[in-house]
Amino acid sequence: MIQVSATEFKNNVGEYIKLSEKEDILILRKGKAVAKLTSVSKNEKEIAYSRLLDMIKQSEPVTEDIDLDVMRKERLNKYDSIT
């Protein structure tokens, strides 16, 4: 694990993001650990993707027809009432 000061991290954030893909980065402020930058493992990415797909599959599709003219008029009416 690499340890860096908050100032060093701030000045070289891009470099540390790249390094965090291979090794955890511990960020210190006044010598005390305040944050840890770690990579997302491939397995965690796959789990998150799978959960997202499940949520999409469970959501109800929009079955009603959308009338763009009606939406436009509603939006214009909304803003007309504000002014």
Side-chain angles (χ1 to χ4, degrees):
M1 182 178 304
I2 299 172
Q3 295 184 4
V4 297
S5 70
T7 303
E8 168 66 16
F9 179 78
K10 181 179 80 169
N11 291 336
N12 298 294
V13 69
E15 176 185 335
Y16 288 111
I17 288 175
K18 288 178 189 175
L19 286 172
S20 73
E21 294 175 1
K22 299 175 185 167
E23 190 172 358
D24 291 346
I25 311 291
L26 191 63
I27 303 165
L28 309 173
R29 183 180 297 140
K30 297 181 182 178
K32 294 182 180 179
V34 293
K36 180 179 175 183
L37 181 63
T38 186
S39 69
V40 178
S41 72
K42 184 177 181 182
N43 189 36
E44 289 172 333
K45 288 178 186 177
E46 290 172 354
I47 291 169
Y49 182 71
S50 174
R51 287 180 180 166
L52 176 62
L53 287 179
D54 288 343
M55 286 190 297
I56 291 171
K57 289 176 186 174
Q58 291 175 4
S59 66
E60 295 192 21
V62 177
T63 56
E64 61 190 50
D65 292 332
I66 298 173
D67 188 337
L68 295 178
D69 288 330
V70 171
M71 289 177 62
R72 181 177 178 273
K73 288 176 186 175
E74 287 175 356
R75 188 178 68 245
L76 290 173
N77 288 337
K78 176 182 174 184
Y79 291 109
D80 283 344
S81 65
I82 294 174
T83 59

